[in-house]
Amino acid sequence: MGRKKEEKYTLSFFLQALVGEQIIIELRNDARLTGIIEHVDDVMNIFLTDLIVDKPGREEQRYDMMFVKGSNIKYVELPEDIDVGRTMQAFENKKKKAAAKYSRGIRRP
């Protein structure tokens, strides 16, 4: 009955913790996107800003923003300077703190 819901540590959960960080994404069509994460949803759809798109055989293109559908992602290259354990713990603590503020629909200061 009183079982605690287990938090699943998936790539999309980790990417949500990296909002504001620059990453590199390679798409299934071999295009490489380098940009800053603004939002990631549960199915790994990603909204990027300030990005560079590098497609094989073409010149680099710059965009202010782009939405990337999760099913088009081949792989994600994470920043080298990210401490995975600390990043996950900080994000989990942030989520718990936010959930405590809004328990039972009542906002607590």
Side-chain angles (χ1 to χ4, degrees):
M1 274 190 218
R3 296 180 76 183
K4 183 180 174 184
K5 182 181 173 189
E6 284 188 41
E7 193 71 45
K8 293 184 180 180
Y9 296 115
T10 62
L11 181 57
S12 85
F13 183 83
F14 182 64
L15 290 174
Q16 289 171 8
L18 292 178
V19 167
E21 296 286 338
Q22 181 173 314
I23 61 166
I24 299 171
I25 299 172
E26 184 165 325
L27 301 179
R28 293 171 67 193
N29 68 358
D30 295 326
R32 288 175 57 88
L33 312 176
T34 303
I36 298 172
I37 300 174
E38 290 297 320
H39 180 75
V40 180
D41 67 14
D42 292 337
V43 292
M44 217 165 78
N45 295 320
I46 302 174
F47 182 73
L48 298 169
T49 58
D50 300 323
L51 68 143
I52 298 170
V53 177
D54 185 20
K55 293 181 182 177
R58 295 188 183 176
E59 288 186 33
E60 282 185 353
Q61 295 176 314
R62 294 184 178 273
Y63 294 92
D64 292 332
M65 65 184 93
M66 182 178 286
F67 174 81
V68 181
K69 190 173 177 184
S71 61
N72 289 329
I73 297 173
K74 185 188 295 184
Y75 72 83
V76 176
E77 202 172 300
L78 301 175
E80 291 180 20
D81 61 336
I82 295 295
D83 181 333
V84 175
R86 280 191 175 161
T87 301
M88 295 298 283
Q89 188 64 47
F91 185 63
E92 187 173 9
N93 291 343
K94 183 179 174 181
K95 285 182 72 169
K96 284 180 182 177
K97 188 175 179 181
K101 264 187 166 178
Y102 294 95
S103 63
R104 294 191 175 222
I106 300 170
R107 184 164 191 255
R108 298 181 180 149

